[in-house]
Amino acid sequence: MGSTSEAKNTGEGTNRRDLIKRSAALGLIAVPSMGFLSACATGGGGDDDNKSDKPKGKTSATNPLGVEKGAPLEAFIFKGGLGDQYAKDAEADYTKAWGGAVKHTGTQQVGPKLTPRFSGGNPPDIIDNSGADHLDMNRLSSQGQLQDLKALMEAASLDDKSKTIKDTIHPSTYEKGLHGDVLDVLYYAFTIYGTWYSKKALEKGGWEYPKSLDDMVKLSAEIKKTGVAPWTYPGKYPYYVHFNLFAQIAKIGGMENWIKIDNLEPNAWTSNDAVKQVVEHYEELARKGYFLKGSQGLTHIQSQTAWNKGKAVFIPNGSWVENESAPTTPKDFQMAVGALFDGGSGDKMPQGTLRAEPSEPYVVASKGKNPAGGMEMLRIMLSKKHAQNFATKVKSLTCVVDATEGMTLSPGLSSASSVFKAAGTNLISLQLQEWYPDLTDAKIGGLTGDLLTGDLSAADWIKKTQAYADKVAKDDAIKKFKRDK
């Protein structure tokens, strides 16, 4: 989600129903409401029928969450672009520390498999709720199905007993996991979104990564002359383009104006000049033929493979791409990611601004048999040992601050880390795709797909996007969320 969350790790095609079921980036991340799933995914929400069956370990300095020794734990982990070995490694440490056997399920169908279990009141304890078929966390939260993680945030870090878990994670991780005043989602990964490219390809062409939208158009013209496509994208999942497009709007128009979009305010799309500038930029790229032919029919795996084979120079993606595309990435590819492009002198945010935000959402089921164990599992994962293991295994950052200091990083992760540090506080975190995925991925995603094939004008994209947003805002059946910053 959010962001992050990745889509299904498969090269097979999909239909519109599949697209509607997608999560959010992610992952990230970026760091991501499915009506047909949520309608039956969270039946109940009343009294906790399993309360008497839950472990009742005594809390102490060494057991701040009250984990009962020997109590079994069930983990349901999304097995997509990040795999699930990193989770298995943490589970092994959980068993070593507490003696409880861990039942592990790695899957790409979190929602379909867990929908009946939440409805039946027997969900697993800890869930990596990511991928195309994820559960609706907003509805789960509103029905009391998600464990309040306050105790986890106040627990001591395994690395430094003088620090709480909240002290060790990026502040945006805490903010993004809130539903109202309750933190009930832990976004474990930290995804760098942007324009990904091969340093070798740029060097070979004698090109430099462009700093502005205009520079990108000029460079695309030069690249096309060589017979290589400037861009490709997964047309089966056109919301990938939003990783850049949405963030570019926020960079140029400012977060104050983007927050109006997140909050579904009237005319938030149509009255924002940055929207017009950015969408017209993509319209121009399409009109001038700067996208790889056939991209509209590609999955994320297929577009990444084409990119790795040198058929295109740029691709919109998240930092999970290095691990996900590893099977087809040449050893000398030198994968890298660039910051957002400048729009002009009126930009609200400076050169180097980056979309970087928590992704890969973990939740603990409040009605599971061992919620204390689920939170303890997260505490183990938030140790520096496992944050570094995650970076090594999947070539991505976690929400643990400075966990990769001193490590030798892979090319893509090294680049992501560098642009993240260079951005400083100029970071963009978006919520629209997390709060209303059907709006962004199915509805607006469909418009974006038509925009990139030249079948829809920028003006119509903006008009129809505003109409879709207004429809969601007026739909009382959809829970709304607000942000101030």
Side-chain angles (χ1 to χ4, degrees):
M1 285 193 174
S3 295
T4 131
S5 68
E6 297 87 274
K8 287 182 178 178
N9 188 14
T10 174
E12 299 176 358
T14 185
N15 55 31
R16 193 165 186 82
R17 177 180 173 85
D18 292 325
L19 179 61
I20 293 174
K21 294 193 296 181
R22 155 295 164 203
S23 80
L26 340 31
L28 189 337
I29 10 248
V31 358
S33 171
M34 271 64 69
F36 73 97
L37 274 179
S38 60
C40 58
T42 57
D47 293 337
D48 186 353
D49 297 330
N50 296 326
K51 189 173 293 184
S52 61
D53 298 328
K54 293 178 181 177
K56 298 179 176 63
K58 293 182 179 180
T59 60
S60 66
T62 56
N63 186 12
L65 297 170
V67 180
E68 183 180 27
K69 285 259 186 187
L73 181 75
E74 185 177 4
F76 232 81
I77 308 299
F78 174 67
K79 190 176 181 180
L82 302 178
D84 63 347
Q85 185 57 49
Y86 73 93
K88 291 180 179 179
D89 294 342
E91 292 163 10
D93 276 1
Y94 176 89
T95 297
K96 183 178 179 180
W98 302 103
V102 179
K103 180 181 178 181
H104 175 99
T105 300
T107 181
Q108 291 183 12
Q109 295 182 313
V110 178
K113 290 185 176 181
L114 293 188
T115 290
R117 294 191 56 182
F118 270 99
S119 180
N122 66 328
D125 303 302
I126 181 171
I127 304 158
D128 174 13
N129 187 37
S130 192
D133 289 328
H134 71 278
L135 291 159
D136 183 349
M137 292 188 298
N138 297 337
R139 189 168 296 236
L140 285 169
S141 177
S142 67
Q143 295 191 347
Q145 297 276 9
L146 303 185
Q147 177 71 30
D148 185 337
L149 301 178
K150 180 181 179 181
L152 172 65
M153 291 295 104
E154 295 176 348
S157 163
L158 289 175
D159 300 310
D160 185 346
K161 303 301 182 185
S162 69
K163 292 184 177 180
T164 66
I165 291 295
K166 186 177 179 180
D167 293 333
T168 67
I169 64 175
H170 198 281
S172 60
T173 300
Y174 186 89
E175 295 164 5
K176 198 172 186 70
L178 291 169
H179 281 106
D181 296 327
V182 177
L183 178 81
D184 52 17
V185 183
L186 190 286
Y187 288 87
Y188 183 62
F190 204 86
T191 297
I192 308 301
Y193 296 95
T195 300
W196 289 78
Y197 63 97
S198 161
K199 285 186 179 179
K200 180 182 177 181
L202 289 190
E203 291 172 358
K204 182 179 179 181
W207 305 314
E208 292 185 358
Y209 182 81
K211 292 184 177 181
S212 70
L213 295 176
D214 288 343
D215 290 341
M216 172 54 79
V217 173
K218 293 175 183 177
L219 177 57
S220 293
E222 293 182 30
I223 293 173
K224 187 179 180 182
K225 291 177 183 177
T226 68
V228 177
W231 285 87
T232 187
Y233 66 97
K236 289 288 187 178
Y237 308 103
Y239 59 80
Y240 268 64
V241 178
H242 298 164
F243 298 157
N244 282 7
L245 190 154
F246 288 177
Q248 197 67 64
I249 290 171
K251 192 270 184 195
I252 295 173
M255 282 304 300
E256 181 179 347
N257 284 319
W258 179 267
I259 288 172
K260 294 178 182 179
I261 290 175
D262 275 346
N263 290 343
L264 302 176
E265 293 186 18
N267 304 315
W269 292 95
T270 53
S271 64
N272 188 339
D273 291 339
V275 174
K276 183 175 184 294
Q277 181 178 359
V278 173
V279 179
E280 286 182 349
H281 169 74
Y282 280 90
E283 180 184 43
E284 181 178 8
L285 293 178
R287 185 177 68 252
K288 293 182 175 179
Y290 293 156
F291 292 107
L292 177 68
K293 290 184 178 180
S295 288
Q296 65 269 27
L298 302 180
T299 65
H300 59 299
I301 297 296
Q302 292 168 335
S303 63
Q304 288 163 189
T305 300
W307 172 59
N308 283 339
K309 290 183 176 181
K311 295 181 179 181
V313 175
F314 300 111
I315 190 169
N317 223 307
S319 49
W320 64 79
V321 67
E322 185 174 24
N323 189 65
E324 190 170 61
S325 67
T328 59
T329 304
K331 291 183 179 180
D332 59 349
F333 192 73
Q334 300 177 51
M335 193 176 293
V337 61
L340 292 165
F341 307 118
D342 289 342
S345 59
D347 285 14
K348 301 299 183 182
M349 300 184 75
Q351 171 69 39
T353 294
L354 187 71
R355 181 180 178 186
E357 58 187 66
S359 59
E360 208 65 20
Y362 270 79
V363 296
V364 174
S366 63
K367 302 182 189 305
K369 292 183 178 180
N370 190 4
M375 289 192 288
E376 181 66 17
M377 170 76 170
L378 287 176
R379 190 166 78 112
I380 291 170
M381 291 173 61
L382 292 167
S383 66
K384 184 165 289 189
K385 171 186 175 181
H386 285 283
Q388 291 187 347
N389 184 56
F390 184 82
T392 300
K393 287 280 198 312
V394 307
K395 304 178 181 64
S396 187
L397 300 172
T398 68
C399 62
V400 181
V401 176
D402 296 331
T404 59
E405 287 295 324
M407 291 181 65
T408 298
L409 305 178
S410 58
L413 182 54
S414 177
S415 175
S417 182
S418 295
V419 294
F420 176 64
K421 289 180 180 178
T425 59
N426 297 307
L427 300 177
I428 288 173
S429 180
L430 312 177
Q431 288 289 44
L432 193 73
Q433 204 159 7
E434 299 291 329
W435 289 343
Y436 313 109
D438 183 59
L439 168 64
T440 59
D441 304 347
K443 301 297 193 301
I444 302 177
L447 298 179
T448 299
D450 290 341
L451 177 73
L452 300 188
T453 56
D455 295 323
L456 186 71
S457 69
D460 284 340
W461 186 100
I462 296 169
K463 181 180 179 181
K464 292 182 178 183
T465 291
Q466 184 66 67
Y468 280 140
D470 290 343
K471 186 175 181 180
V472 172
K474 296 174 183 177
D475 189 343
D476 292 336
I478 299 175
K479 184 175 178 61
K480 309 302 189 303
F481 300 91
K482 297 289 183 182
R483 63 183 294 193
D484 298 321
K485 60 180 181 178

